[in-house]
Structure formats: structure tokens, C-alpha cells
């Protein structure tokens, strides 16, 4: 049986764990692509340097998302990263409702910004924009009216 000093040699031979290196991912047109998801909505997002124009499914963001709260939600990643008005966004959104689509777009914009400029990643991660919101609608169970709603109780 070997003595314990040989174990110390094994420890020095093991490679040191380092943080993953995030690289810049840009296509030949100078765009970064990312997919964002929220509830049942999926957003395919392309981000490129520009004047701050956002196009959703071929329409202006003011037309597609008429509610100011949803537009505010979409602009949060730019405000957090302090790059407002510096990027053009072109995206297609499918599935879910308007609120879920706005959340998916926010997630996709955040990811695309980190692919375009990895230096923006710490501020976006601290704001919680890179985490996909896992909450989805609970399925309906048999014997129930909805996911948890039971039948009405009657004493007689």
C-alpha cells in the first residue's frame, strides 16, 4: 500500500477549474442571434449596431406591443447594459400571449447582447435577464375542474 504523500502529487496534477470563456458570436452581416423563451412564447432575435429600431414580426414595436408596460419590459436589457439606442433589433415571435411574447423578447435580446459583446454579461446576469423564467401553466388533472379547482361541496 502506498503512503499518503503520493496523494499530494495527484492533487497538483489535476487541472485547475476556470470560469467558462464567453466568446463573441457574430454572423457575416454583423448580427448576433439568440432565442428567448417565456411560457409558451418563443422569440428569435437578431441584434446589430444601429439607431435603436425594434421590429417585431415585420411591424414596429409600438404597433405590435401597444401597452407601454410591455415596451418598458423589452427595453430593460438596454437600460441595464447602458446601451440604449445603440442596437437595432429584428425578431420573430410565436406562441403564447402578448405578455409571454414580451418576456421571450426580453430574454432573447439579453442573450443576443451577451453574444455581441461579452462585456455586457455581468450587468445583464445581475439583473436576472439571462435566466429563463421556468413558470408555465400547470396541467389540468382528472377529477378537477381546472388544475387544482375541486368540485363544489354540497352537504345535502
Amino acid at each position: 500500500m502506498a503512503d499518503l504523500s503520493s496523494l499530494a502529487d495527484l492533487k497538483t496534477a489535476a487541472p485547475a477549474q476556470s470560469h467558462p470563456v464567453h466568446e463573441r458570436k457574430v454572423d457575416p452581416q454583423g448580427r448576433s442571434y439568440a432565442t428567448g423563451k417565456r411560457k409558451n412564447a418563443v422569440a428569435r432575435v437578431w441584434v446589430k449596431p444601429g439607431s435603436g429600431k425594434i421590429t417585431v414580426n415585420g411591424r414596429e414595436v409600438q404597433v405590435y406591443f401597444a401597452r407601454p408596460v410591455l415596451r418598458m419590459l423589452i427595453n430593460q436589457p438596454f437600460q441595464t447594459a447602458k446601451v440604449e439606442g445603440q442596437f437595432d433589433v429584428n425578431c420573430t415571435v410565436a406562441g403564447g400571449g402578448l405578455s409571454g411574447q414580451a418576456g421571450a423578447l426580453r430574454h432573447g435580446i439579453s442573450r443576443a447582447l451577451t453574444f455581441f459583446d461579452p462585456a455586457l454579461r455581468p450587468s445583464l446576469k445581475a439583473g436576472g435577464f439571462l435566466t429563463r423564467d421556468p413558470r408555465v401553466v400547470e396541467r389540468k388533472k382528472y377529477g378537477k375542474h381546472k388544475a387544482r379547482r375541486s368540485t363544489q361541496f354540497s352537504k345535502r
Side-chain angles (χ1 to χ4, degrees):
M1 185 168 148
D3 59 344
L4 294 177
S5 62
S6 63
L7 293 176
D9 298 335
L10 288 175
K11 185 178 178 187
T12 57
Q17 291 289 338
S18 64
H19 295 291
V21 178
H22 299 286
E23 296 178 3
R24 190 167 190 256
K25 296 177 187 167
V26 180
D27 66 3
Q29 286 87 28
R31 305 173 302 181
S32 280
Y33 170 78
T35 305
K37 295 183 180 181
R38 168 86 169 91
K39 292 186 177 179
N40 279 340
V42 179
R44 302 185 312 152
V45 181
W46 288 269
V47 170
K48 66 177 181 178
S51 59
K53 182 180 166 196
I54 300 176
T55 310
V56 183
N57 290 353
R59 291 190 268 175
E60 291 293 318
V61 71
Q62 290 83 6
V63 176
Y64 195 87
F65 293 110
R67 279 187 269 165
V69 175
L70 298 180
R71 289 199 302 269
M72 179 203 71
L73 196 75
I74 291 166
N75 286 322
Q76 282 179 340
F78 296 117
Q79 293 167 351
T80 304
K82 297 180 178 65
V83 290
E84 296 173 83
Q86 297 180 22
F87 290 96
D88 286 345
V89 177
N90 189 11
C91 67
T92 57
V93 188
L98 282 178
S99 179
Q101 288 182 351
L105 184 53
R106 180 179 86 159
H107 185 226
I109 288 172
S110 304
R111 291 185 63 195
L113 283 175
T114 59
F115 291 148
F116 190 85
D117 185 6
L120 301 175
R121 185 175 171 84
S123 61
L124 291 171
K125 189 156 177 65
F129 299 123
L130 299 178
T131 306
R132 189 233 193 263
D133 193 346
R135 297 175 294 173
V136 292
V137 177
E138 190 175 349
R139 79 170 193 87
K140 183 195 176 299
K141 282 81 172 182
Y142 61 89
K144 302 278 187 182
H145 285 300
K146 293 166 62 176
R148 298 185 179 204
R149 171 88 168 91
S150 299
T151 56
Q152 185 170 342
F153 174 73
S154 174
K155 199 168 193 178
R156 284 177 198 85

